């Protein structure tokens, strides 16, 4: 796959490697020429090879799941991806970080800079506020400069990635009233994780569609934090997630009242300008709207929008693959930035369509 | 199926009987003890039996598709269901209506009471404004009294049915600010009709999800007409349809700013009170949200809602089967009201779950 | 729903009423005018109403799940549907049967007339061989006469129903060599039951397809028992089940070497003749093949076939809904026969297409 | 994507580049470091850029569909992929071949070495029998040596690829009786091509499953040709295709009578030995069976099998992605072999799971 010798590659470990974000990291990293995965942990699957558990990952026949022995892992890797449940991640992140390792945390534990907000939404205190202060929110389109020198990156949630990228130019460009934001998101079922649970069983999800967690979803404060920071105002948003009967993809439809008269072309121009150097954001032409199928399996975010003059509303639609740009792909992008690699390395393949 | 003799049954004809709403009428009417389908038209399939074209409709082996000869049809039926494309329906409705027949029109041609609004959204003039004045908008929950004596019922669109039923108690109860309505709808693919078209081919739709027609969908004025009439104010709404990779179902998520402080329980009480005698509207208990899968194949509308205090917003979610409550089931309900039958006749079967 | 008064209806109980076959019984029986469901058991959901657990079953808001107290149930019902796991059903069936109740068992416990064969495939002994002798295999197309006077009916498995109905006329008509039977079946995911299990989670099943249990599936001896009995020969079959990413439906493709030269029309004639009085078997015309979508939600079995002269093979395809003709619908059919009701009562609705 | 300069890359053209196999070639080649796509044809889409028509192929914003001007194309490319309908391909292949270009034909026109067999199954004569003689059947696992020196490769059909790879070791190892082969295949809907056709519309395919073309599918003679050649016997097979409600994937279940007593382990050993050096064939361990989901988007073929002693039958199951190993991926593999590239170049990415 790569002519680079293994001893020139950086060594990475994945803690929590048998969930959907864990195996997506393995999938993506298999095509990354500057990285070698030296360890992967799973309590339940310890002792089994990756390829035994996941036949599609047959290149990893020699990589064996191991229980998470943090001290033992220290010498195995230079950079740690943590794909553990929130709460559990607090301590593990702090451990590897305090030992001088680079850490990319895919949990929610280090995303909210204010530990009080964290406790309010997650129902448990943050035990490592000092470490939390060092964490950089890993949305490269906003925080690239800080990610470059970060030792600890908190990889954003899937919904926040789609919502923030959709709103950022409108918020920074002062195009919209900030008090009226409606964020209506629809996610594929991988977003619920890999688990034995009746609510995500095929026959309950297939041919169905529902909203859930109205007004209470834990990704809300992430969105509010980043948009508030971008605008300098204290923003509150209406955020409603829905469950789509597809494997992958988030489509987010955003409604905002325009702060002054404009048209679709003018707003698109601002969006295209702001994102013109971004390797993974694609602002679609007027009249074209995103479809999650067009970003499936990729790190791209597609954005389309429309000014509805009769109601003075800007409607923005963004689409990402929740497991890639919404999780593991963005984590690899963050790694590339932290390590000084070409940003797009390992992330260039096009969507699997159909 | 019924012990009632055929000569005691009313005779109905279906014009445009090979599309999805046409065959759904046939499916539903096969279980209706007071009705016999005496004619069904289709230009393309003329000469073929219904059961040859649609093996699942095997009870209709003796019913043969015929070309639409309006004069010839007159003596065959007492009541006409018209499931023709908009535009084409204008003249056919006027013909049967002028000959004294009862007509239920499933097209959009007689839904908008103002012919100027019709022309604005459909791009063609209304040629029968006098007949249009006689049409009743066939949403029983609002217009039951008028439907009872109507000769011409304009069966509502699928999206409007879901949106209006979701908003009606809030609008009539003056719970919300009318200038801030966001209606975000997601529909199954039968909503696009039965057609050979790349955009609805399996591989384009499956595992995909997209918005379309933002700010321009033709169901917008129907929603505005009925909500304006219910509130006495001139209401404009933001309406965005999306295409779901499922056969049937519409889920509509509605956002409105509350006009005064309240809570979920109080709003639910108002909703339950308003709909308590409605046979096909089911207001779900606090904490329960609708799923299109729970209404599949039925004439029921499920409604759930939540007051989000931190943003002072009422979020309402409604679910219907677009082919039943959103089209053919509601048409049969309208027929039952027009004919003085028990309202629920032929419409009582429970959802096919899973 | 019915003008019949409740005290003229027979009382039925469902033991194991929160699985997919249990709720399908509730769905079907809600439209049956001669039956009232007086009790439904579930250990896990005891105390909850049916409509709370399953919003689509809103007509059952007064029916409360109860733990299975067999003695207490005796006075509540005249006929018992048992939808319990195999093994657990042995004792329950024997209890109700011995108390003089009519029993329809949807488990596998009383399907195999030879207790040695049962033990061989299910790995546990049959403790009630005397009761087993009284059980009738509930495939009406073969055993109608015995079902009529039976007190205990063993409702067939879903795969066996599709395979046996597909093969019966060929076997009885001596059209095929019995040593060469290949039965390749594909089932929707409801066939795996309602359970929290990773293997049936949406993201594992969706967009996937696989075979399982090759040569070892427990429905094999049921098929062999009935075909052997029909032919008077000891038949062994190759049976391979597959998992389809759909909710409902079994399509079975059967291959058999022809015992003499013939053609499709001649074989179809024999099939149509044998099934001409069967209310739920539909032999399709030459050139038409079954699709599970055409029988979804119904008790119908569609059969199509083709003689392939160049290989001297008869290929038969049958389609059923695994939850209806493959389980709960056939159980209601059996009840109708046992009770002397019109056979099709409650089972006449047409397929939900699309 | 590649550091190789464009002038060191070979230039390829794709004739018929707007169908599913055409865009799959574009997707795969976008990751191939030694190739540049210089032209792509489509009559319908001429003048549009690839990325306008297919937003997921955004890397191709400068590649414009052009009408097929064969003479004009000659100077644009060294190697031609032809993804045209059968019949139409005959002449185009002959043209490019006769001009000294390397050609990989994805149609069926040059797969059957006997023009009489071609005419029998495709209903039209082969006009270029001399060119046909030069064509090599592009299944690398059988014909690698000839492909290496070929100028014209006939890329195999999707079903034949899955069937032949599944049967090859059993046939060559004389493990099975050749007169009893049953090949039961199930394909995703991309296999039907990209077209506006009611039979592949979402609502007809979704939640459905059916067999089609029993005994008459045009891939039958391809399978027979290759198995006859491998065995030295004249083999006839029973082949039945089915339509799966998924985008991609073929699962083929094969039944053959064993020619002598053996067991699963022994047969697997023979399979593993024969395929041990094949980069794209993966023989699964005993007890593991293939799932199309594990090969989605890849060029891999997974094979599992089981000896069923009680019926003396070998059951083999193979899984491929019909658009990759069954079409465009295999075409790129053939190109790699013809050009002397590393065989796996551009084909190493792992399956998109889930």
């Amino acid at each position: 796959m790569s002519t680079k010798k293994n001893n020139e590659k950086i060594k990475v470990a994945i803690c929590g490697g048998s969930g959907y974000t864990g195996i997506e990291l393995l999938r993506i990293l298999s095509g990354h020429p500057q990285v070698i995965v030296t360890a992967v942990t799973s309590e339940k699957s310890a002792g089994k090879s990756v390829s035994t558990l996941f036949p599609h990952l047959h290149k990893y026949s020699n990589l064996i799941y191991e229980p998470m022995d943090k001290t033992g892992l220290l010498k195995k890797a230079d950079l740690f991806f943590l794909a553990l449940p929130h709460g559990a991640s607090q301590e593990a992140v702090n451990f590897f970080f305090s030992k001088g390792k680079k850490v990319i945390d895919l949990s929610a534990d280090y995303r909210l800079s204010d530990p009080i907000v964290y406790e309010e939404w997650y129902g448990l205190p943050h035990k490592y506020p000092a470490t939390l202060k060092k964490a950089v929110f890993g949305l490269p389109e906003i925080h690239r400069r800080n990610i470059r020198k970060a030792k600890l990156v908190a990889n954003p949630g899937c919904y926040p990635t789609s919502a923030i990228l959709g709103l950022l130019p409108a918020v920074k460009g002062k195009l919209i009233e900030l008090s009226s934001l409606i964020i209506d998101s629809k996610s594929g079922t991988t977003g619920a994780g890999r688990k034995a649970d009746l609510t995500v069983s095929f026959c309950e999800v297939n041919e169905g569609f529902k909203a859930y967690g109205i007004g209470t979803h834990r990704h809300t404060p992430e969105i509010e934090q980043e948009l508030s920071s971008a605008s300098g105002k204290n923003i509150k948003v209406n955020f409603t997630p829905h469950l789509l009967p597809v494997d992958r993809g988030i489509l987010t439809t955003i409604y905002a009242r325009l702060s002054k008269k404009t048209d679709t072309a003018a707003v698109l121009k601002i969006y295209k300008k702001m994102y013109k150097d971004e390797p993974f954001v694609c602002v679609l032409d007027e009249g074209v709207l995103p479809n999650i199928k067009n970003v499936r399996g990729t790190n791209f975010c597609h954005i389309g929008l429309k000014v509805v003059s009769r109601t003075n509303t800007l409607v923005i639609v963004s689409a990402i693959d929740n497991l890639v740009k919404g999780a593991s792909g963005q984590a690899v992008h963050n790694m590339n930035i932290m390590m000084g690699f070409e940003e797009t390395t390992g992330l260039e393949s096009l969507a699997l369509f159909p």
Side-chain angles (χ1 to χ4, degrees), chain A residues 15 68-75 80 82 88-103 110 128 131 152:
Chain A
C15 299
M68 189 161 151
D69 163 15
K70 289 198 294 288
T71 307
L73 285 168
L74 276 179
K75 60 177 176 297
F80 288 77
L82 271 66
S89 208
Q90 276 192 31
E91 201 272 329
V93 164
N94 184 65
F95 176 83
F96 292 119
F97 177 77
S98 68
K99 298 296 185 190
K101 297 296 184 180
K102 288 198 164 72
V103 180
Y110 289 82
Y128 306 94
T131 304
L152 166 54

Side-chain angles (χ1 to χ4, degrees), chain A residues 8-138:
Chain A
E8 299 167 13
K9 297 180 178 185
I10 67 156
K11 291 179 283 178
V12 309
I14 300 171
C15 299
S18 65
Y20 288 140
T21 52
I23 62 175
E24 187 71 356
L25 276 168
L26 288 166
R27 183 183 75 84
I28 294 169
L29 293 174
S30 82
H32 196 298
Q34 290 161 283
V35 166
I36 182 166
V37 181
T38 53
V40 60
T41 80
S42 165
E43 307 308 309
K44 275 191 213 159
S45 304
K48 290 185 190 162
S49 77
V50 168
S51 60
T52 299
L53 210 60
F54 299 102
H56 73 291
L57 296 175
H58 49 77
K59 287 187 186 170
Y60 290 104
S61 56
N62 295 324
L63 188 64
I64 312 295
Y65 284 111
E66 54 186 280
M68 189 161 151
D69 163 15
K70 289 198 294 288
T71 307
L73 285 168
L74 276 179
K75 60 177 176 297
K76 292 196 179 176
D78 312 307
L79 184 147
F80 288 77
F81 290 103
L82 271 66
L84 301 169
H86 69 84
S89 208
Q90 276 192 31
E91 201 272 329
V93 164
N94 184 65
F95 176 83
F96 292 119
F97 177 77
S98 68
K99 298 296 185 190
K101 297 296 184 180
K102 288 198 164 72
V103 180
I104 298 173
D105 183 25
L106 285 87
S107 89
D109 281 351
Y110 289 82
R111 292 177 194 158
L112 299 172
S113 56
D114 184 343
I116 293 168
V117 175
Y118 176 82
E119 184 163 357
E120 189 183 322
W121 287 84
Y122 287 87
L124 72 174
H126 205 298
K127 290 186 282 185
Y128 306 94
T131 304
L132 178 57
K133 274 200 182 120
K134 309 286 183 158
V136 175
F137 190 80

Side-chain angles (χ1 to χ4, degrees), chain A residues 137-145 147 156 161-162 164-166 168-169 172 226 274-282 299-301 303 320 325 330 333-334 337 343:
Chain A
F137 190 80
L139 197 69
E141 290 79 5
I142 297 185
H143 299 290
R144 179 177 277 108
R145 238 179 293 179
I147 295 165
T161 295
S162 76
I164 298 164
L165 290 177
L168 194 63
K172 296 195 85 162
E226 295 301 309
M274 178 166 295
Y275 286 133
K276 74 175 192 308
D277 295 328
E278 284 302 336
F280 295 117
V281 180
C282 187
N299 201 47
F300 294 97
C301 175
I303 297 176
I320 60 169
K325 181 63 177 166
Q330 188 145 266
H333 188 188
N334 280 319
I337 297 173
E343 285 199 23

Side-chain angles (χ1 to χ4, degrees), chain A residues 200-269:
Chain A
V200 294
S201 80
F202 182 83
C203 298
E204 306 287 317
V205 172
N206 181 47
E207 292 294 289
F209 185 67
K210 64 173 181 183
Y212 66 97
I214 297 177
T216 61
H217 194 281
R218 285 164 167 171
H219 283 176
T220 309
E222 269 182 63
I223 302 171
E224 294 179 344
Q225 165 181 293
E226 295 301 309
L227 294 182
S228 296
S229 159
S231 67
K233 305 267 169 65
N234 184 12
I235 294 185
K236 288 220 178 320
V237 301
N238 278 295
F239 169 60
T240 305
H242 300 73
L243 185 68
L244 277 172
V246 302
D247 285 344
R248 290 164 177 254
I250 287 180
L251 193 101
T252 295
T253 311
I254 300 164
Y255 301 85
R257 198 172 300 266
L258 287 159
S259 53
K260 58 178 179 192
K261 242 184 142 69
T262 183
D263 63 16
T264 304
V267 177
L268 275 175
K269 205 172 158 185

